[in-house]
Amino acid sequence: MELRLPHRWSDLTLGELQVMMTSENQLERISICTGQSVDKLRTMPQKLIEAAGAHIDELLTKETARFEKVVEMDGKRFGFVPDWDAFTAGEWIDLENHLEDFWKNAHKVMAVLFREVTYELGEAYEVKKYTAKEDASIFEEMPADLVSGTLLFFGLPETNCCTV
């Protein structure tokens, strides 16, 4: 019997990280990484579950970061806010509010920092204006290394990615 687990940090998604960083239930953490239901995991050998949990704990200590100004998700291109002078009061307020409980709201943080690209020419691009009604759930599929890179680039507070 075996479980398919992510091999490296970049194999994780933001949605998976959110579950792993907010759940203390080992089976929930393994479930989100393997796609196996908690009920199915309960029927597996304890040694296998312990090994999977140890692998995930180790993986969370191997954080990597990669920053990209434009990323593609769900068939759409999203650009990192290109003009910080144009960052609105609403964007700052929402960003600060989402950061109060980072792991619960990490996808919302990314939705403030990245917007759908409306125009692109070479390295230059424009993004949609912020409305506070963006579909943040798209960012649950963002690779973990891009999330880490964005946080490092933006200089956001410690998120304790490596603390389990």
Side-chain angles (χ1 to χ4, degrees):
M1 189 170 286
E2 65 181 47
L3 290 172
R4 299 188 127 231
L5 294 164
H7 180 65
R8 59 190 165 271
W9 179 263
S10 59
D11 294 335
L12 297 169
T13 66
L14 176 55
E16 291 168 340
L17 276 177
Q18 287 178 286
V19 171
M20 288 189 289
M21 301 308 283
T22 58
S23 177
E24 293 182 24
N25 182 315
Q26 186 180 47
L27 291 179
E28 284 179 9
R29 295 171 78 217
I30 296 169
S31 173
I32 194 67
C33 288
T34 63
Q36 297 290 327
S37 71
V38 170
D39 288 340
K40 174 73 174 167
L41 292 172
R42 290 175 59 85
T43 68
M44 294 184 176
Q46 178 61 19
K47 280 190 160 205
L48 180 63
I49 298 303
E50 287 174 1
H55 174 80
I56 290 170
D57 290 346
E58 176 70 16
L59 185 64
L60 292 175
T61 68
K62 306 279 188 209
E63 182 176 3
T64 59
R66 170 174 62 105
F67 178 73
E68 292 186 18
K69 288 183 179 180
V70 177
V71 298
E72 188 165 327
M73 291 180 298
D74 198 33
K76 298 177 184 174
R77 293 180 61 78
F78 294 87
F80 188 69
V81 174
D83 183 3
W84 291 105
D85 291 331
F87 211 62
T88 66
E91 288 168 304
W92 279 114
I93 290 166
D94 288 351
L95 185 61
E96 286 179 350
N97 287 338
H98 298 324
L99 287 171
E100 287 178 13
D101 189 351
F102 177 76
W103 285 115
K104 178 181 174 193
N105 299 307
H107 59 298
K108 294 176 185 176
V109 169
M110 293 301 124
V112 173
L113 298 176
F114 285 89
R115 240 63 65 48
E116 192 171 347
V117 172
T118 58
Y119 172 80
E120 199 170 359
L121 180 63
E123 295 286 316
Y125 61 92
E126 293 178 6
V127 296
K128 287 185 176 180
K129 292 196 181 298
Y130 183 71
T131 65
K133 296 177 181 164
E134 286 76 14
D135 181 8
S137 67
I138 290 170
F139 292 94
E140 292 171 355
E141 296 303 316
M142 187 177 218
D145 61 336
L146 288 177
V147 174
S148 299
T150 300
L151 298 177
L152 287 173
F153 178 87
F154 195 63
L156 290 175
E158 282 287 320
T159 57
N160 296 320
C161 284
C162 299
T163 302
V164 181

